[in-house]
């Protein structure tokens, strides 16, 4: 079923529309917030961006998802999810006003990053509650369609929020006061998602009472043991484990490409002009967003034609080869096209990873498998930024970094094919 057909089907449910609207408003607001952090950390006239600074900024944006991810489910399964969707945006909005005040007061950067970490920590609970609530608002036979459209729509709205943040920045300026205003507007928008969540009944989204559920302290202790058990289970499902590994590899090399692009635009392409650099990176982000969306349309047909175990290495290999061809001239025109290519390839691999894990892993292990997935998805990106900090020159022009990215994609695709070729391909 196509994306449009899936969306038309699930939107027939009133409760789904309310939950879906909560997600869309939140992720639109999150796009404004991410743009504000990006602009302050990497493209503020007052800051001199370095590869180490990029690594720090990306860690702030992503580490809460990696560290908190496996543990939030313990609370999501015990607290009213509708209340989480109401309270979390208010708390997050308050923290954003604090963050805006920190930026406006020109306090040292560590205070800004600490405040941003608090915002993202609360956001992790909010997104987890949204995911856990979905089965309560759609019939079982429409759950797959709902799972197909909600993440894609949320990602698109995040990109739209980034674009809206860019337009606001043009109006309010690129200084600290402008960034503070962006963060404050994002906080207000987050509050709107709480108002939408309030239209749902408190008991609608669960969790269902279970008298045999372990106590919270015991459940938290079991998380680490459960992750290890989930990893052992995944090892025995070759295609699911290999496809998750391909996704992790993509995130690593995509993280390197992100750090490389930020430094190139900040210094090599624009001679240190932060406004021109941000415009260039904005074009790359927009091109990547188009690639993400097209992958949702292309991947079902590609996996039907080639099968997942063939499409994943094709996507990885093409991404590696084209990224080398497009980036090695070190011209501004090459990076948006490379972003488009990596957007298609990366989202294709992610869709395939989602599918193989849901298809092959036993239901009892799915939660733990996706916790590992979450940790890899964000952790590898941060790890790549850290490596970039060690190898990138001040102006970002690094043939070594491009070679690692290109060769890494190709090698990962070949390794994936070698691991899965003994297995009879199964279409998605």
């Amino acid at each position: 079923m196509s994306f449009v057909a899936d969306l038309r089907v699930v939107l027939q449910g009133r409760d789904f529309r309310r939950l879906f609207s909560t997600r869309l408003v939140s992720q639109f607001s999150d796009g404004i917030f991410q743009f504000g952090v990006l602009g302050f950390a990497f493209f503020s006239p007052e800051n001199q961006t370095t590869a180490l600074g990029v690594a720090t900024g990306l860690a702030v944006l992503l580490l809460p998802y990696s560290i908190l991810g496996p543990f939030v489910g313990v609370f999501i399964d015990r607290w009213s999810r509708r209340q989480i969707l109401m309270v979390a945006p208010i708390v997050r909005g308050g923290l954003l006003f604090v963050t805006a005040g920190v930026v406006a007061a020109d306090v040292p950067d560590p205070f800004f990053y600490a405040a941003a970490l608090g915002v993202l920590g609360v956001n992790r609970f909010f997104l987890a509650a949204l995911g856990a609530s979905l089965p309560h608002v759609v019939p079982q036979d429409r759950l797959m369609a709902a799972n197909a459209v909600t993440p894609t729509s949320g990602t698109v709205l995040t990109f739209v929020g980034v674009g809206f943040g860019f337009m606001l920045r043009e109006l309010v300026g690129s200084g600290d006061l402008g960034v503070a205003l962006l963060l404050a507007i994002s906080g207000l928008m987050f509050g709107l998602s709480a108002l939408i969540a309030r239209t749902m009944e408190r008991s609608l989204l669960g969790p269902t009472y279970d008298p045999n559920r372990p106590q919270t302290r015991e459940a938290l202790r079991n998380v680490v043991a459960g992750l290890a058990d989930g990893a052992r289970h995944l090892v025995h499902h070759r295609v699911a484990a290999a496809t998750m590994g391909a996704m992790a590899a993509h995130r690593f090399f995509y993280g390197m490409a992100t750090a490389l692009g930020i430094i190139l635009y900040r210094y090599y392409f624009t001679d240190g002009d932060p406004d021109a650099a941000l415009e260039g990176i904005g074009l790359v982000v927009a091109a990547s967003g188009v690639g993400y969306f097209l992958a949702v349309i292309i991947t079902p047909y590609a996996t039907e034609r080639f099968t997942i175990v063939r499409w994943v290495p094709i996507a990885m290999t093409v991404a590696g080869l084209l990224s080398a061809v497009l980036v090695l001239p070190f011209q501004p025109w090459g990076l948006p096209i490379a972003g488009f290519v990596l957007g298609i390839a990366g989202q294709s691999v992610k869709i395939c990873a989602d599918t193989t894990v849901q298809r092959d892993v036993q239901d009892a292990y799915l939660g733990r498998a996706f916790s590992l997935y979450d940790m890899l998805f964000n952790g590898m990106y941060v790890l790549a930024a850290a490596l970039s900090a060690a190898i990138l020159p001040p102006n970002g022009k690094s043939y070594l970094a491009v070679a690692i990215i290109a060769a890494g994609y190709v090698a990962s695709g070949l390794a994936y094919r070698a691991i899965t070729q003994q297995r009879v391909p199964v279409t998605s």
Side-chain angles (χ1 to χ4, degrees):
M1 189 178 289
S2 69
F3 175 85
V4 174
D6 285 340
L7 184 60
R8 187 183 298 117
V9 167
V10 294
L11 282 177
Q12 294 174 9
R14 183 190 64 178
D15 292 330
F16 173 81
R17 291 196 300 269
R18 291 175 176 176
L19 187 68
F20 190 53
S21 299
T22 303
R23 174 185 284 273
L24 295 183
V25 171
S26 169
Q27 295 207 237
F28 175 77
S29 307
D30 198 43
I32 301 173
F33 166 71
Q34 290 184 24
F35 180 83
V37 173
L38 181 76
F40 178 82
F42 306 145
F43 300 104
S44 171
E46 292 84 3
N47 292 335
Q48 292 299 309
T49 303
T50 64
L52 179 60
V54 171
T56 302
L58 293 178
V60 167
L61 285 171
L62 297 172
L63 280 183
Y65 294 87
S66 299
I67 296 171
L68 293 176
F71 297 94
V72 297
V74 173
F75 300 100
I76 297 300
D77 290 341
R78 286 163 174 77
W79 297 346
S80 166
R81 292 171 190 147
R82 184 263 205 170
Q83 292 304 101
I84 292 173
L85 297 182
M86 280 182 56
V87 174
I90 296 171
V91 173
R92 191 171 47 179
L95 287 172
L96 271 169
F97 279 106
V98 171
T99 309
V102 166
V103 173
D106 197 25
V107 301
D109 287 357
F111 290 96
F112 166 79
Y113 287 125
L117 276 169
V119 172
L120 289 161
V122 175
N123 199 46
R124 189 68 190 92
F125 278 88
F126 182 86
L127 291 175
L130 280 172
S133 299
L134 194 59
H136 293 265
V137 296
V138 293
Q140 188 68 31
D141 60 343
R142 295 182 180 177
L143 188 56
M144 183 171 292
N147 273 315
V149 302
T150 51
T152 300
S153 300
T155 300
V156 170
L157 261 292
T158 299
F159 279 111
V160 173
V162 170
F164 185 74
F166 181 85
M167 290 189 294
L168 282 177
R169 187 178 187 269
E170 294 296 305
L171 294 174
V172 302
S174 58
D176 287 349
L177 288 177
V179 173
L181 186 57
L182 275 178
L183 297 176
I185 291 172
S186 177
L188 287 173
M189 292 294 297
F190 277 131
L192 292 179
S193 64
L195 294 177
I196 298 171
R198 193 176 185 276
T199 64
M200 294 179 279
E201 293 183 12
R202 180 167 182 155
S203 61
L204 174 66
L205 307 178
T208 304
Y209 175 69
D210 181 2
N212 298 317
R213 182 183 290 126
Q215 295 295 315
T216 301
R217 185 176 300 176
E218 179 186 354
L220 289 172
R221 283 199 303 267
N222 291 338
V223 167
V224 176
L227 288 174
D229 193 28
R232 286 191 294 269
H233 180 78
L234 268 172
V235 167
H236 297 293
H237 294 78
R238 184 187 304 176
V239 174
T243 312
M244 190 183 294
M247 179 277 301
H250 157 70
R251 289 293 290 177
F252 182 85
F253 300 116
Y254 191 65
M256 285 194 68
T258 300
L260 175 69
I262 289 173
I263 300 300
L264 280 173
Y265 272 108
R266 185 69 167 88
Y267 296 110
Y268 187 73
F269 293 149
T270 63
D271 294 324
D273 181 346
D275 291 328
L278 189 56
E279 289 178 5
I281 284 293
L283 183 58
V284 175
V285 170
S288 297
V290 174
Y292 271 62
F293 184 76
L294 285 180
V296 177
I297 300 171
I298 292 170
T299 304
Y301 297 102
T303 53
E304 185 177 354
R305 170 67 177 84
F306 298 106
T307 75
I308 284 176
V309 296
R310 291 194 180 98
W311 178 242
V312 169
I314 289 172
M316 297 285 282
T317 302
V318 171
L321 295 176
L322 288 183
S323 62
V325 171
L326 292 166
V327 179
L328 278 177
F330 289 102
Q331 296 296 319
W333 56 263
L335 270 68
I337 304 173
F340 173 75
V341 171
L342 294 183
I344 293 178
Q347 189 67 3
S348 292
V349 172
K350 184 182 183 302
I351 292 169
C352 291
D354 291 347
T355 302
T356 55
V357 171
Q358 290 173 345
R359 183 190 67 194
D360 296 347
V361 174
Q362 294 177 21
D363 186 65
Y365 289 88
L366 269 178
R368 284 167 282 184
F370 275 104
S371 290
L372 290 167
Y373 187 118
D374 234 14
M375 295 174 71
L376 286 171
F377 188 83
N378 296 298
M380 294 299 287
Y381 198 82
V382 174
L383 184 62
L387 175 63
S388 300
I391 67 172
L392 286 180
N395 69 354
K397 186 179 181 180
S398 172
Y399 292 100
L400 174 61
V402 178
I404 292 173
I405 293 166
Y409 268 111
V410 174
S412 298
L414 294 175
Y416 175 87
R417 187 64 180 141
I419 292 169
T420 58
Q421 66 181 352
Q422 299 303 319
R423 188 182 179 93
V424 177
V426 180
T427 58
S428 61

